[in-house]
Amino acid sequence: MAQPEGLLYSKEHEWLKVEGDVGVVGITDYAQNSLGDIVYVELPREGQTIQQFGSIGVVESVKAVSDLYTPVGGVVTEVNKALEADPALVNRDAFGEGWLYKVKLAGPAELEQLLAPSAYESLVAEG
Amino acid sequence: MYAPHTDSDIAEMLAVVGVSSLEELVEVPDAVAIAGPLDVPPSLPEIELAAKIAGYAKANTAVGYTSFLGAGAYRHYCPPVVMSLAMRGEFLTAYTPYQAEVSQGYLQAIYEWQTYVCLLTGLDIANASVYDGATALAEGAIMAVNATGRRAILVSRAVHPNYRAVLRTYARGLELDVEELPVAPDGTTDTTNLEARLADKRFAAVVVQSPNFFGSIDAPAADVVAAIKATGTILIGVVAEAMSLAVLATPASWGAEIAVGEGQSFGNPVAYGGPYVGFIASTKEHMRRIPGRLVGRSVDNRGNDAFTLTLQAREQHIRREKATSNICTNQAHCALVATIYLAAVGASGLRRAAVLNVERTYALAERVAAIDGFSRALGAPVFNEVAVRVPATFGAARVLAELERRSILGGVDLGRWYPEFADCVLMNATEVTTPEDIDALCVALGDIAAAARESAAVHV
Amino acid sequence: MSERLIFETGQPGRANTYFPNGRTADEFLPASALRDALPLPDNSELDVVRHFTRLSQKTFAIDTGFYPLGSCTMKYNPRVNEAMASQPGFKDLHPYAPDPLAQGALRVMYELERSLSAIFGMSAFSLNPAAGAHAELTALLIAKAYFAKIGQGASRTTVIVPDTAHGTNPASAAMVGYKVISLPSDARGRVGLEELKAAIGDDTAVCMMTNPNTLGLFEDHIHEIAEAVHAVGGLMYYDGANANALMGNARPGDMGFDLMHLNLHKTFSIPHGGGGAGHGPVGVAERLVPFLPVPIVTLDESGAYHLEHEREDAIGTMRSFWSNFSHAVRALTYIYANGGEGLTRVSQLAVLNANYVRARVKEFLPTPYDETCRHEFVATAQELKRETGVRALDIAKALLDRGYHAPTVYFPLLVPECLMIEPTETESKETLDGFIAALRDVVETAKRDPQAILDAPVHTVVGRIDETRAARHPDLRWVG
């Protein structure tokens, strides 16, 4: 399955969409599928400063709890409050309504550490 | 030996397996093979076994004494209906209810226990239980550390000394700092410097116990609680005597976000220290941090209400080194005993029992304080324990030894943990303490006081 | 049929007269110290009896059927143990009773400690920890204190855990700040000596193992493994979950283990009680004795027992009071009922039962490590799943329909679609034959009519439960 274009990816299966100086972060469809039914997402606080690849939350499914590593650093500007009531949004629409949080990007250099869709696709294909 | 195998069973089974003897089946490399037979006495037929162990039980002569021992383990009346239900084999010999379809009964009982803990503490959620009150405190402190990201705990010195000791043991493993708040002269926690100590926001939690180790009601005042909350510190309320929850203001009402404690008083015997049943309750915000097992209500594929262990992904068998705690077992059977006890006595019975504790303790305190040379050591209101100051010329240890000669266990010597209370005895009275018990104690103390006066006179 | 919650039955004021109706709390205590209403239900004693009797009838237990639950040792719980533990001389003994008046209890603890030391080849045991995971934490705190004492506290930072280990091992290691290194098993299902040697070094604090391991296989290189770990200055830890295979046959102390724990609720016949209370004594080799948690029971020259509360190097204490004492009574009763020869026989017959079931089950379900096992073995439904879509979990549920408890499934993690079966020694050949026939029926039905197994269970009081809903919308208590 091809990965959506226009996004950047991390090895920890998060995606990043750059919109000006803000990045939108989520987990990939591959990640949600491996986790199974997601029951809870613990997100960073708005206003929190986060470091690239730092552990900043957890995604909990019926069978596993997985740490959430942010693909980029910066200041969290918004979190997806809809996930509180309906964490299954991540299962249903990982690249869309299931986004996790937005972050004011620390700097463009960090983006170079991330994978293009084709590179992420190869990573997933290797299993 | 409780194995049913006949010789012919064994021969037949060995043949199926394809080995010639039991010894061959369990062979291990020579380097680790056992050198000889086990150094354990030969087996006893049950009739001799029962007599032997009964002899050990009879050697515990303390159970025949009139007792005022409390200090974290409480003697209460348990209606016979409680054990007759709890000891049913279906409950006693069940495994952890992982196969929910065949464990609905036990799961429902634990769900009921969780509800009882919530109703008694006033908090939103409770877990299926932990080992005991002291470990509940340690686990509650870890919850606060995880919630705040801070690595220090401030605990009142009026919290049970054993609970504080266990907290320190756990803290050494996790490399947390534990600091203490002093005790005021009236036997409650001294909070005068609290605000200053909290100012640098180093503490994950402030821990107070009510009734505290001295029996004193020690719920922090509203302005103290406000100061704690203003610094983002979590207030943990400890309840070592769950019976008190029937009449005293709930930990939730005095501001605790996390309540931990000991539920032994609900139907479980003192049993020389265990097993007991620790509980942890908290506000909703901490739901995903609460350690141990949790029972939840859901539905099955036929549309029925059904119970199951839930939020298990946080637990050690899935999350391994990243689990919220390593705790695995809960005290299911002790929690079941407590649940049946609460169901049987009901609100009315529990309240009556609790009020009797207060009544008998105040009677005890008044009677003892009326004896020349004895007085109440601390002024604060109490639930079912009272600190008594004994004649200084005698000291607590000698008073207790004199009482022991008269077949009375007068309480615990507070000097064991608190040098400033070296001449004080902590006495407990519950609904099982009779007026005759109090009479016997007071007669004995009167004799001791007279002897103390005489010996003082002789020395002069 | 569902049973109403105790909170939904009864009537206010329907009080049982256990206690006299006397005065009120506000006659003694200030109003500010008192709570508002006490919102608990009042039920008649008869209604309480019926409620909990019906709940018991919806609960599977050893007393109602066979429990082939791997790693859990669900053996018969002799009733003499219960009778002994519930004598007033034990159950009404207060933990602060003076030592001279509690000699019987102290003797129980002392003799249990000596017996366990003899059976497992350790210098001493502590009865302080409440359960297996609690014991692991205790043992690792002992290791940490020991390394601090010899000046290696800062350098010993890692714990080696084989991939077959119980999940509590890494969780416990994390609670004392140790970093966990997971060690893959070799093709024979054992810890590979070369892989182990590559993983250990002067940062190794403890290597945690169980033997037999969770595949039911004896770690036949255990002596070399212990030597290698000791050569780099590390300690060997024995997880006693599988001790039922060993008694009278091999001792962890002789294998080179320095620390161990036992689950008395497994090997020593204490009832599981629906998930606790357990009892998890910790045993140590000579050089670790000073670090054991307090209190410790000692025997003086006059024949008197004492509870020693102060020891300079002790790690502290792990719980409110001394031990899960009632369980110590049960375990000692069990040991004296069996004697040394009986315990040896217990382990032999536990191994016989497991091998008998393995030999018959492999006719219809593959057993990935095809050799003589110890007290338990693993089978796999991997092929069956490929052919029919029926997974280990489905087999487990179909066994419930046939009156048996499920085996442990999906553990150990390295065997896909794993079923882990431990019959214990207290089951008769007839019971085992019945179970084997039921399991065969499940597998054959799966091949013929997989949907029938996927739909299981159908004969239980409830069907499969919506776990996702339970976790997404937690309902953890009744709300009026």
Side-chain angles (χ1 to χ4, degrees):
Chain A
M1 189 190 78
Q3 303 297 330
E5 294 293 331
L7 304 180
L8 292 168
Y9 297 85
S10 74
K11 288 178 183 158
E12 302 287 354
H13 310 287
E14 281 90 20
W15 56 260
L16 173 76
K17 184 177 178 188
V18 178
E19 295 175 340
D21 60 351
V22 170
V24 186
V25 177
I27 65 169
T28 66
D29 198 56
Y30 173 84
Q32 73 76 17
N33 196 38
S34 331
L35 281 165
D37 288 344
I38 289 166
V39 299
Y40 177 67
V41 185
E42 184 186 300
L43 295 172
R45 292 187 314 278
E46 284 176 15
Q48 188 179 336
T49 302
I50 56 180
Q51 306 295 327
Q52 189 177 27
F53 304 132
S55 165
I56 46 90
V58 292
V59 182
E60 183 174 333
S61 72
V62 173
K63 59 179 182 181
V65 179
S66 193
D67 282 309
L68 199 57
Y69 300 95
T70 182
V72 283
V75 178
V76 178
T77 58
E78 191 183 343
V79 300
N80 187 352
K81 293 196 179 66
L83 299 180
E84 229 170 87
D86 188 9
L89 275 175
V90 180
N91 291 116
R92 289 201 302 273
D93 191 7
F95 291 112
E97 284 187 48
W99 65 276
L100 303 180
Y101 57 93
K102 296 182 182 175
V103 57
K104 181 128 192 312
L105 299 172
E110 287 187 357
L111 303 184
E112 287 164 26
Q113 307 280 319
L114 300 175
L115 306 173
S118 57
Y120 179 66
E121 176 58 28
S122 320
L123 180 88
V124 170
E126 281 167 26
Chain B
M1 258 254 299
Y2 301 93
H5 300 65
T6 63
D7 289 345
S8 69
D9 287 340
I10 293 172
E12 225 177 298
M13 293 166 82
L14 283 172
V16 171
V17 176
V19 298
S20 60
S21 70
L22 289 172
E23 288 70 24
E24 185 189 333
L25 198 57
V26 298
E27 211 161 62
V28 296
D30 288 346
V32 298
I34 198 164
L38 289 178
D39 184 17
V40 174
S43 87
L44 287 175
E46 193 168 294
I47 186 170
E48 291 169 29
L49 174 70
K52 180 183 173 80
I53 304 294
Y56 291 26
K58 287 196 193 82
N60 296 320
T61 47
V63 298
Y65 284 38
T66 299
S67 174
F68 297 88
L69 292 173
Y74 299 98
R75 305 157 297 115
H76 289 293
Y77 178 74
C78 178
V81 66
V82 175
M83 284 301 170
S84 97
L85 288 167
M87 295 307 280
R88 288 180 64 91
E90 299 91 329
F91 289 136
L92 189 69
T93 71
Y95 189 66
T96 309
Y98 289 126
Q99 296 294 336
E101 296 90 337
V102 291
S103 311
Q104 285 299 298
Y106 219 129
L107 286 163
Q108 179 169 339
I110 297 299
Y111 179 88
E112 291 178 353
W113 163 247
Q114 291 172 184
T115 303
Y116 271 120
V117 173
C118 292
L119 295 173
L120 286 163
T121 59
L123 283 157
D124 302 327
I125 55 162
N127 75 359
S129 71
V130 293
Y131 308 128
D132 61 14
T135 51
L137 170 56
E139 296 284 355
I142 294 169
M143 281 173 72
V145 166
N146 291 337
T148 59
R150 303 177 190 174
R151 303 194 61 81
I153 305 288
L154 186 56
V155 56
S156 163
R157 255 184 102 231
V159 170
H160 196 301
N162 296 3
Y163 288 29
R164 284 182 286 130
V166 172
L167 180 62
R168 281 195 297 271
T169 308
Y170 274 64
R172 266 195 290 278
L174 291 161
E175 293 170 17
L176 305 176
D177 289 330
V178 177
E179 293 181 26
E180 297 193 330
L181 275 170
V183 179
D186 71 341
T188 60
T189 302
D190 181 349
T191 53
T192 41
N193 290 323
L194 180 62
E195 236 178 300
R197 293 180 74 176
L198 294 176
D200 63 0
K201 302 186 179 179
R202 222 159 45 78
F203 293 106
V206 169
V207 182
V208 295
Q209 176 181 325
S210 182
N212 67 21
F213 186 66
F214 310 110
S216 305
I217 293 168
D218 199 4
D223 58 323
V224 174
V225 175
I228 293 169
K229 301 213 162 174
T231 56
T233 312
I234 292 172
L235 176 61
I236 299 181
V238 180
V239 182
E241 167 51 302
M243 180 71 79
S244 69
L245 292 167
V247 291
L248 298 187
T250 63
S253 73
W254 44 265
E257 275 178 64
I258 298 174
V260 298
E262 177 59 71
Q264 172 263 325
S265 286
F266 299 148
N268 284 281
V270 287
Y272 204 51
Y276 293 172
V277 51
F279 62 82
I280 301 183
S282 75
T283 53
K284 281 195 293 289
E285 291 73 53
H286 299 293
M287 180 168 64
R288 309 262 165 185
R289 283 186 207 99
I290 206 164
R293 293 176 186 145
L294 289 164
V295 173
R297 184 161 58 167
S298 182
V299 292
D300 74 352
N301 58 7
R302 306 169 201 162
N304 304 311
D305 270 9
F307 298 91
T308 181
L309 289 171
T310 190
L311 307 186
Q312 288 188 79
R314 308 156 303 122
E315 285 191 61
Q316 74 319 115
H317 57 270
I318 294 176
R319 248 205 139 196
R320 300 173 82 87
E321 68 268 27
K322 287 183 173 172
T324 44
S325 161
N326 77 331
I327 195 164
C328 183
T329 193
N330 60 331
Q331 305 290 100
H333 199 259
C334 301
L336 175 77
V337 168
T339 306
I340 300 173
Y341 172 89
L342 289 166
V345 300
S348 325
L350 192 67
R351 209 181 254 285
R352 283 184 193 178
V355 174
L356 277 169
N357 278 253
V358 179
E359 187 182 329
R360 302 265 155 97
T361 301
Y362 273 83
L364 170 74
E366 271 171 38
R367 292 280 305 278
V368 171
I371 301 167
D372 198 14
F374 290 83
S375 60
R376 269 191 72 177
L378 305 164
V382 298
F383 176 68
N384 69 2
E385 278 170 294
V386 58
V388 170
R389 179 158 279 128
V390 307
T393 48
F394 238 60
R398 203 162 145 208
V399 169
L400 291 173
E402 286 294 329
L403 288 173
E404 221 175 287
R405 291 204 306 122
R406 295 163 172 84
S407 299
I408 296 170
L409 299 171
V412 298
D413 177 354
L414 281 176
R416 178 169 170 179
W417 304 278
Y418 300 90
E420 69 271 38
F421 297 127
D423 55 352
C424 294
V425 172
L426 183 67
M427 296 181 172
N428 160 256
T430 72
E431 77 281 4
V432 302
T433 306
T434 62
E436 292 75 22
D437 293 341
I438 297 174
D439 288 345
L441 174 74
C442 292
V443 168
L445 290 178
D447 290 351
I448 292 167
R453 280 192 301 275
E454 264 172 43
S455 78
V458 170
H459 283 115
V460 170
Chain C
M1 206 183 72
S2 75
E3 172 74 15
R4 284 205 292 163
L5 292 167
I6 195 79
F7 307 99
E8 297 164 340
T9 60
Q11 293 292 336
R14 186 173 281 166
N16 296 308
T17 52
Y18 302 121
F19 307 106
N21 203 358
R23 301 166 68 178
T24 54
D26 57 10
E27 294 178 53
F28 304 95
L29 300 173
S32 62
L34 302 177
R35 72 177 292 154
D36 305 331
L38 183 63
L40 310 183
D42 277 338
N43 283 280
S44 73
E45 187 170 300
L46 175 58
D47 285 342
V48 171
V49 168
R50 286 189 179 142
H51 177 70
F52 288 101
T53 300
R54 285 191 296 252
L55 291 186
S56 78
Q57 289 166 339
K58 297 204 286 184
T59 303
F60 192 99
I62 295 171
D63 284 9
T64 70
F66 177 48
Y67 249 109
L69 202 57
S71 223
C72 299
T73 317
M74 297 300 286
K75 61 170 71 178
Y76 172 60
N77 306 137
R79 286 311 192 272
V80 66
N81 298 353
E82 301 312 311
M84 293 300 100
S86 62
Q87 296 176 95
F90 291 137
K91 87 175 167 61
D92 295 335
L93 183 65
H94 194 280
Y96 285 122
D99 291 353
L101 309 182
Q103 287 293 297
L106 292 170
R107 186 172 173 192
V108 166
M109 291 170 73
Y110 185 83
E111 292 183 4
L112 177 60
E113 187 277 323
R114 287 291 82 210
S115 301
L116 297 177
S117 294
I119 298 166
F120 297 98
M122 306 307 282
S123 284
F125 267 85
S126 162
L127 303 184
N128 197 222
H134 201 217
E136 289 177 16
L137 177 60
T138 306
L140 291 169
L141 286 167
I142 291 171
K144 189 167 175 153
Y146 165 75
F147 287 120
K149 185 82 179 176
I150 62 169
Q152 298 180 7
S155 59
R156 300 277 171 186
T157 53
T158 61
V159 166
I160 311 284
V161 180
D163 58 3
T164 54
H166 294 108
T168 46
N169 293 172
S172 302
M175 280 187 80
V176 294
Y178 284 137
K179 191 167 154 275
V180 177
I181 297 180
S182 183
L183 206 59
S185 302
D186 67 12
R188 297 173 58 243
R190 269 85 167 181
V191 170
L193 194 54
E194 294 315 311
E195 286 86 345
L196 174 93
K197 283 181 176 165
I200 58 176
D202 53 17
D203 63 338
T204 303
V206 181
C207 174
M208 301 178 85
M209 289 180 66
T210 181
N211 193 17
N213 64 25
T214 54
L215 295 167
L217 303 173
F218 195 81
E219 296 278 357
D220 38 18
H221 293 300
I222 190 64
H223 205 59
E224 291 97 318
I225 291 169
E227 271 178 12
V229 170
H230 288 152
V232 298
L235 295 171
M236 289 290 290
Y237 178 88
Y238 179 80
D239 175 338
N242 299 340
N244 205 43
L246 278 190
M247 292 184 293
N249 180 39
R251 306 192 304 170
D254 301 334
M255 296 177 202
F257 286 99
D258 308 289
L259 292 151
M260 71 171 289
H261 87 264
L262 284 166
N263 304 82
L264 294 186
H265 47 286
K266 295 180 180 176
T267 313
F268 293 92
S269 80
I270 290 168
H272 280 71
H279 194 345
V282 164
V284 292
E286 186 72 44
R287 68 186 188 286
L288 299 177
V289 172
F291 304 97
L292 285 174
V294 287
I296 301 250
V297 182
T298 56
L299 174 62
D300 71 19
E301 284 162 6
S302 75
Y305 299 94
H306 304 276
L307 211 47
E308 206 179 305
H309 289 276
E310 302 288 335
R311 282 203 178 180
E312 195 190 337
D313 288 329
I315 57 161
T317 190
M318 295 298 297
R319 54 179 296 144
S320 300
F321 297 106
W322 335 142
S323 75
N324 274 356
F325 174 75
S326 301
H327 283 351
V329 175
R330 292 178 175 96
L332 188 70
T333 304
Y334 179 76
I335 289 171
Y336 286 171
N338 282 285
E341 275 181 45
L343 293 174
T344 304
R345 188 86 166 164
V346 160
S347 286
Q348 289 175 345
L349 293 174
V351 174
L352 177 67
N353 274 5
N355 275 287
Y356 176 72
V357 177
R358 185 188 58 84
R360 305 267 324 264
V361 164
K362 73 176 183 183
E363 294 165 10
F364 54 87
L365 208 56
T367 54
Y369 300 90
D370 191 20
E371 56 175 300
T372 304
C373 64
R374 299 287 151 165
H375 65 302
E376 65 189 1
F377 70 96
V378 293
T380 172
Q382 196 176 18
E383 252 176 71
L384 189 71
K385 180 183 165 194
R386 215 169 17 238
E387 289 168 21
T388 67
V390 168
R391 302 162 301 158
L393 180 73
D394 305 313
I395 295 176
K397 299 302 179 193
L399 280 167
L400 302 181
D401 265 345
R402 286 156 179 78
Y404 294 93
H405 197 273
T408 298
V409 289
Y410 301 105
F411 183 81
L413 305 171
L414 81 160
V415 177
E417 297 301 326
C418 180
L419 295 134
M420 186 192 202
I421 296 173
E422 178 182 7
T424 84
E425 75 283 358
T426 56
E427 299 298 339
S428 67
K429 180 171 173 298
E430 297 91 303
T431 301
L432 299 181
D433 286 339
F435 169 71
I436 293 160
L439 186 54
R440 183 191 288 272
D441 178 52
V442 172
V443 172
E444 284 171 1
T445 306
K447 288 178 179 167
R448 202 174 55 241
D449 177 12
Q451 197 56 42
I453 303 299
L454 296 171
D455 289 342
V458 294
H459 299 309
T460 47
V461 292
V462 297
R464 289 197 203 186
I465 293 157
D466 187 342
E467 308 275 351
T468 304
R469 175 180 158 140
R472 273 189 188 151
H473 308 288
D475 168 2
L476 306 174
R477 60 170 291 192
W478 169 83
V479 179

